[in-house]
């Protein structure tokens, strides 16, 4: 049984190896990402009517506001990076990471910006995918991210492919379309 901060609970069966691979995509086959995603899909399934009637479709493309509300039972502060400059993005990252709670971001289907041509992302960032923001170092101008799949990173960094990586804010701005965290 998985309990959400709003007091609701979802009974989830032990995930199979296939479900662990599908939900976590990690080599360790951790069970908690699959348990959480299955519980969240069950929770949303009753609220969202899917065209195909499939449980998995209830969580595909979930809005960040719903995800953060489910994780924290708090309202969300979401910023659309298309409406911000690079400097405003830095300010937003600082504000959101200074708050107590998760910070997430969504990648673009294509790159955007004056300094990068508009084309499919081919920099290691998965297109149209959600990442966790683990931190923002304003002095070094670096965003630390985690791919929930446990692998797959920005190509221009050294280190193990463990899903945790850093990228300069300018590249973050070009590769991501929104950032969200708990409201103040």
């Amino acid at each position: 049984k998985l309990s959400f901060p709003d007091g609701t609970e979802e009974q989830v069966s032990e995930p199979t190896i296939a479900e662990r691979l599908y939900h976590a995509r990690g080599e360790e086959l951790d069970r908690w990402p699959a348990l959480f995603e299955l519980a969240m899909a069950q929770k949303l399934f009753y609220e969202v009517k899917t065209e195909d009637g499939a449980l998995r479709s209830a969580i595909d493309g979930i809005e960040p506001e719903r995800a953060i509300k489910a994780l924290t039972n708090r309202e969300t502060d979401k910023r659309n990076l298309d409406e911000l400059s690079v400097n405003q993005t830095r300010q937003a990252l600082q504000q959101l990471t200074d708050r107590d709670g998760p910070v997430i971001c969504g990648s673009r289907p294509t790159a955007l910006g004056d300094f990068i041509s508009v084309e499919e992302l081919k920099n290691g960032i998965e297109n149209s995918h959600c990442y966790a923001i683990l931190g923002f170092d304003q002095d070094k101008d670096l965003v630390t991210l985690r791919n929930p799949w446990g692998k797959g990173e920005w190509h221009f960094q050294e280190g193990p492919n463990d899903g945790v990586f850093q990228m300069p804010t300018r590249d973050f701005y070009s590769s991501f379309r929104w950032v969200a965290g708990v409201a103040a």
Side-chain angles (χ1 to χ4, degrees):
K1 191 183 288 191
L2 192 133
S3 299
F4 289 91
D6 66 1
T8 60
E9 295 180 338
E10 291 293 334
Q11 184 70 40
V12 182
S13 300
E14 183 65 30
T16 65
I17 297 294
E19 287 172 324
R20 289 182 190 189
L21 282 168
Y22 180 81
H23 292 284
R25 296 195 187 182
E27 295 176 16
E28 300 296 319
L29 297 179
D30 289 335
R31 63 191 280 266
W32 74 263
L35 285 170
F36 176 75
E37 281 199 24
L38 290 167
M40 188 68 172
Q42 284 177 198
K43 180 179 174 69
L44 293 177
F45 185 74
Y46 303 109
E47 299 172 20
V48 178
K49 300 297 180 209
T50 60
E51 288 183 27
D52 60 4
L55 182 68
R56 177 67 189 147
S57 296
I59 198 168
D60 281 343
I62 182 176
E63 301 91 1
E65 295 85 355
R66 273 201 168 168
I68 288 175
K69 182 79 170 175
L71 288 170
T72 66
N73 201 30
R74 293 173 59 191
E75 295 304 315
T76 304
D77 181 353
K78 179 182 173 191
R79 315 282 177 95
N80 180 346
L81 300 186
D82 292 340
E83 298 171 358
L84 303 178
S85 67
V86 176
N87 284 334
Q88 290 169 321
T89 298
R90 287 180 180 101
Q91 292 171 351
L93 287 166
Q94 191 66 56
Q95 290 169 352
L96 293 170
T97 57
D98 281 348
R99 296 179 188 155
D100 184 31
V103 181
I104 58 177
C105 57
S107 61
R108 299 180 178 282
T110 57
L112 177 71
D114 296 335
F115 43 90
I116 286 186
S117 62
V118 177
E119 60 186 26
E120 284 200 26
L121 297 175
K122 295 181 181 171
N123 61 3
I125 301 300
E126 193 67 34
N127 291 16
S128 300
H129 183 52
C130 188
Y131 289 76
I133 295 179
L134 303 180
F136 174 63
D137 185 329
Q138 192 168 18
D139 294 333
K140 294 181 181 176
D141 201 29
L142 292 174
V143 183
T144 303
L145 299 114
R146 181 180 187 279
N147 184 338
W149 292 344
K151 60 182 178 180
E153 304 174 351
W154 186 57
H155 287 319
F156 307 103
Q157 85 147 23
E158 297 176 17
N161 184 7
D162 59 0
V164 177
F165 59 98
Q166 291 184 318
M167 65 189 308
T169 305
R170 271 182 92 96
D171 293 302
F172 173 85
Y173 177 78
S174 293
S175 299
F176 290 87
R177 60 186 169 164
W178 56 263
V179 60
V182 295

